[in-house]
Amino acid sequence: MKPNPTPIWSAVLALGVEPSSCALVGDSLSNIEAAKAAGTPAIGYANRLAKREKFRLAGANEVITSMGEIARVLAGQALWVSHVSLVSLDR
């Protein structure tokens, strides 16, 4: 259960990469907390205006307001993200 980092570590292990070379895109504080606990950069998806500051305060590396911004953020952060793959942590 979130913010348990175990599902993130499982995904990272399956990809065969380091946690710091991936990024988690999440729309809740527990997603951001789980990413931080796993050592994975976090991108907060603020689908509501009130979430922007909460994600920043929680330590999100980036905060986006539309899914279209993901590519821009990943391209601009190539130094901390070296592997892009879609893995769903929801069950």
Side-chain angles (χ1 to χ4, degrees), residues 4 10 12 17 22-23 36-37 39 51 54 58 64 67 73 83:
N4 181 353
S10 295
V12 167
V17 297
C22 299
K36 294 315 222 177
K51 290 184 175 183
K54 290 179 182 179
I64 60 173
M67 294 305 262
V73 168
H83 187 83

Side-chain angles (χ1 to χ4, degrees), residues 25-42:
V25 178
D27 65 352
S28 70
L29 285 176
S30 60
N31 291 146
I32 305 306
E33 293 165 0
K36 294 315 222 177
T40 302

Side-chain angles (χ1 to χ4, degrees), residues 4-91:
N4 181 353
T6 302
I8 298 169
W9 290 329
S10 295
V12 167
L13 182 64
L15 293 170
V17 297
E18 293 295 319
S20 61
S21 68
C22 299
L24 180 132
V25 178
D27 65 352
S28 70
L29 285 176
S30 60
N31 291 146
I32 305 306
E33 293 165 0
K36 294 315 222 177
T40 302
I43 300 171
Y45 171 49
N47 53 3
R48 286 184 275 147
L49 188 59
K51 290 184 175 183
R52 285 184 193 177
E53 188 62 19
K54 290 179 182 179
F55 288 157
R56 284 189 181 95
L57 291 173
N61 298 80
E62 295 282 343
V63 178
I64 60 173
T65 57
S66 75
M67 294 305 262
E69 293 179 81
I70 293 174
R72 177 192 56 79
V73 168
L74 291 177
Q77 301 298 326
L79 294 178
W80 56 262
V81 177
S82 64
H83 187 83
V84 176
S85 183
L86 298 177
V87 177
S88 175
L89 301 179
D90 294 327
R91 295 181 186 215

